[in-house]
Amino acid sequence: MTPQQVISLAKEKGAVQFDVRFSDIPGLWHHISYPISQLDEGTFEDGTGIDGSSIRAWAAINESDMLLLPDPTTAFMDPFTEKPTLVMIGEVVDPITRQHYERDPRWIARKAELHLKNSGLADTCFFGAEAEFFVFDNIRFDQTYQHGFYFIDAEEGRWNSSREFDNLGYRPRVKEGYFPCPPTDHHMDLRTEMVEVMEACGLVVECHHHEVATAGQCEIDQKFSTLLKTADNMMLYKYIVRNTAARNGKTVTFMPKPIFGDNGSGMHCHQSLWNDGKPLFAGDGYAGLSQMAMWYIGGLLKHARALSAIIAPTTNSYKRLVPGYEAPVNLAYSRRNRSAAVRIPMYSASPKAKRVEFRPPDPSANPYLAFAAMMMAGLDGVLNKIDPGEPLDKDIYDLSPEELKSVPSMPASLDEALDCLEEDHEFLLKGDVFSSEIIEAFISYKRKAEAEAVRLRPHPYEFMLYYDI
């Protein structure tokens, strides 16, 4: 929509507030609201003021004044507010220079798309991201000087099968929650409500289903779109999922591994390059792929260890990325094989359906940074003709230790992932998509606020192991 169309939409829907949203570096939406009387065509050029000093890993207090420029193409009516509220996603601009703020994740995603076009190799990168999540009924957690704990409960959790009262059974077994019908699938109606809200907000949904884990693990799949649009859609997707659950007395988490001993939540990312409306990944090579697609895979695999800091950016991510469990930590590619880090889906022979699926990412990632980084890795593979090696069509989880030695793997911790990013990030700097400054800020924040903070605190299981030592 144009600014004029957004203003007309606000009048048509009787909006009394307008809301501008933006993402911090870890990937949470923030917002600021105004009476609708403050919205006019000048708002889209002049922006609205915010204090950037209180946003994680952003500006110092002496450079904290910033502007939010609403993007009219992102406008929608908030489905959860009591009063009609028009929402737009904004981009962050320096009020003096009028330059985009280099730590604004959305600007980095936009620069990635511009870099792709300037490369002459393609004009569009499509992403289809599948973010999984858990629906719980109760969550308690705390961490202070002399105690630290978490407690999860879910009516659907298999552990409730022994409950004496108010127990009707029908709960997915651990690791057996894939595709059961109700009443074992407790959340079909809730997901349907989520889908209806998504469609009302302009998202295109392909399907939804229960996932592998017990205790309410779900997936709702959106239709693919361009890199920036898919990142915008993922932010809206999370907002709708969380708020629809809350409206029904439930709570949702996108933590990669909230439950011990059962599957974690991933965000498998399907990717393809197109030019002038034509797919570039279809060919007569392995699994029907083109040479360009093979080089793109080569780039993803070469830089996967560095990418891990951005696509699996939490300490909790590495409780999912564990050898021998459900997440693909071994850096190989294969058709159909879900134990490979890169899978080539074989559902359709159509050239338009040819894509590669990168499976290590999880939904704790900031989608703007994650999608931009993956595309930059793949593009580096194309530009430098990186050979991905031979495919690995075996079940990687069944390989012998000798065979596994020749297969590189993802980092085992956030600290290791950040080390890899420090050592290998030149591919992200091309076209000024990422800056050295944003990478340094990202690494510094993640080390101190997350990796070090977790490392300094006793873990509950350490008391099980060591209290009587």
Side-chain angles (χ1 to χ4, degrees):
M1 287 189 283
T2 64
Q4 297 86 353
Q5 289 172 324
V6 170
I7 293 170
S8 296
L9 174 66
K11 291 178 180 177
E12 175 190 337
K13 299 296 185 180
V16 299
Q17 296 277 308
F18 79 94
D19 200 65
V20 186
R21 299 185 182 171
F22 62 97
S23 168
D24 63 10
I25 288 176
L28 286 182
W29 247 358
H30 298 258
H31 78 126
I32 184 168
S33 303
Y34 303 88
I36 200 66
S37 59
Q38 298 296 309
L39 179 66
D40 56 33
E41 291 186 28
T43 306
F44 296 90
E45 295 182 6
D46 301 331
T48 62
I50 60 167
D51 173 8
S53 65
S54 297
I55 305 301
R56 294 180 294 179
W58 268 28
I61 197 165
N62 61 313
E63 296 179 338
S64 58
D65 286 356
M66 296 181 178
L67 293 175
L68 269 179
L69 295 183
D71 182 344
T73 67
T74 64
F76 66 94
M77 295 300 297
D78 194 307
F80 301 105
T81 53
E82 183 177 340
K83 301 293 184 181
T85 301
L86 177 77
V87 179
M88 288 176 283
I89 301 174
E91 290 187 350
V92 186
V93 172
D94 186 291
I96 299 174
T97 65
R98 303 294 294 188
Q99 297 296 309
H100 284 272
Y101 183 45
E102 289 300 322
R103 295 194 189 186
D104 175 12
R106 193 171 191 265
W107 171 233
I108 292 171
R110 189 181 291 280
K111 284 193 293 181
E113 291 191 323
L114 292 171
H115 175 63
L116 177 63
K117 291 178 181 178
N118 291 336
S119 73
L121 296 171
D123 57 26
T124 306
C125 183
F126 284 116
F127 268 83
E130 304 167 347
E132 299 163 352
F133 55 91
F134 280 88
V135 181
F136 296 144
D137 289 281
N138 188 47
I139 176 71
R140 293 188 289 119
F141 53 87
D142 195 16
Q143 177 72 60
T144 186
Y145 300 103
Q146 54 33 281
H147 73 258
F149 77 95
Y150 68 89
F151 184 86
I152 294 167
D153 201 12
E155 173 61 30
E156 199 194 77
R158 187 68 178 181
W159 55 81
N160 278 318
S161 294
S162 63
R163 194 172 65 204
E164 187 173 355
F165 301 104
D166 301 319
N167 187 357
L168 301 178
Y170 295 110
R171 295 180 178 90
R173 298 175 186 86
V174 171
K175 293 185 177 290
E176 293 186 24
Y178 208 46
F179 292 176
C181 286
T184 304
D185 178 0
H186 288 212
H187 301 306
M188 180 175 179
D189 288 338
L190 178 62
R191 291 195 308 272
T192 297
E193 183 179 340
M194 291 172 177
V195 168
E196 288 178 337
V197 177
M198 289 177 189
E199 291 182 324
C201 290
L203 301 183
V204 180
V205 175
E206 293 184 333
C207 68
H208 66 89
H209 56 84
H210 202 286
E211 260 296 338
V212 174
T214 189
Q217 191 183 35
C218 298
E219 180 178 317
I220 301 174
D221 291 341
Q222 303 178 65
K223 183 178 175 63
F224 69 89
S225 190
T226 60
L227 186 156
L228 179 61
K229 183 62 175 173
T230 301
D232 283 343
N233 289 348
M234 185 55 65
M235 299 299 288
L236 179 54
Y237 170 96
K238 288 184 172 183
Y239 179 74
I240 290 171
V241 167
R242 290 189 184 110
N243 280 278
T244 305
R247 190 162 66 184
N248 286 272
K250 309 286 186 181
T251 180
V252 157
T253 183
F254 288 94
M255 277 181 68
K257 191 74 170 183
I259 297 178
F260 168 70
D262 210 339
N263 278 32
S265 294
M267 184 177 70
H268 307 147
C269 292
H270 298 253
Q271 306 163 51
S272 63
L273 296 180
W274 291 53
N275 193 57
D276 197 24
K278 297 178 181 178
L280 301 179
F281 276 12
D284 56 4
Y286 174 79
L289 293 181
S290 66
Q291 182 62 69
M292 174 182 278
M294 297 299 291
W295 288 332
Y296 191 97
I297 292 171
L300 284 175
L301 294 178
K302 177 182 178 180
H303 299 297
R305 289 175 56 80
L307 286 175
S308 62
I310 299 174
I311 63 164
T314 67
T315 58
N316 188 251
S317 298
Y318 298 89
K319 292 176 173 59
R320 169 182 171 262
L321 292 175
V322 176
Y325 287 79
E326 82 278 3
V329 299
N330 297 299
L331 298 175
Y333 72 98
S334 176
R335 60 188 171 194
R336 303 176 63 187
N337 187 349
R338 283 172 168 78
S339 65
V342 176
R343 182 180 76 97
I344 299 97
M346 300 298 292
Y347 296 121
S348 171
S350 169
K352 293 182 177 181
K354 280 300 168 187
R355 61 196 188 274
V356 301
E357 177 194 20
F358 195 46
R359 295 178 63 80
D362 69 56
S364 68
N366 183 320
Y368 298 110
L369 301 180
F371 299 165
M374 283 184 277
M375 191 211 75
M376 293 298 289
L379 197 60
D380 186 64
V382 175
L383 289 168
N384 291 291
K385 299 181 179 179
I386 297 174
D387 184 358
E390 293 298 315
L392 193 58
D393 289 330
K394 301 177 182 179
D395 183 346
I396 297 173
Y397 302 140
D398 289 337
L399 293 180
S400 67
E402 292 74 23
E403 290 175 300
L404 275 175
K405 285 181 181 178
S406 63
V407 183
S409 63
M410 294 286 284
S413 68
L414 180 58
D415 271 318
E416 186 182 350
L418 294 169
D419 289 342
C420 293
L421 181 59
E422 277 187 325
E423 296 167 5
D424 176 23
H425 61 257
E426 288 298 318
F427 70 98
L428 296 173
L429 304 181
K430 293 178 181 177
D432 295 323
V433 175
F434 287 78
S435 65
S436 296
E437 193 264 347
I438 183 62
I439 292 173
E440 290 170 6
F442 180 91
I443 291 173
S444 175
Y445 173 81
K446 287 287 179 178
R447 280 204 195 283
K448 186 172 183 179
E450 298 183 24
E452 182 178 315
V454 170
R455 188 168 59 250
L456 288 174
R457 287 161 171 81
H459 189 283
Y461 197 63
E462 289 179 315
F463 286 83
M464 299 281 289
L465 291 172
Y466 308 128
Y467 186 77
D468 61 349
I469 199 166

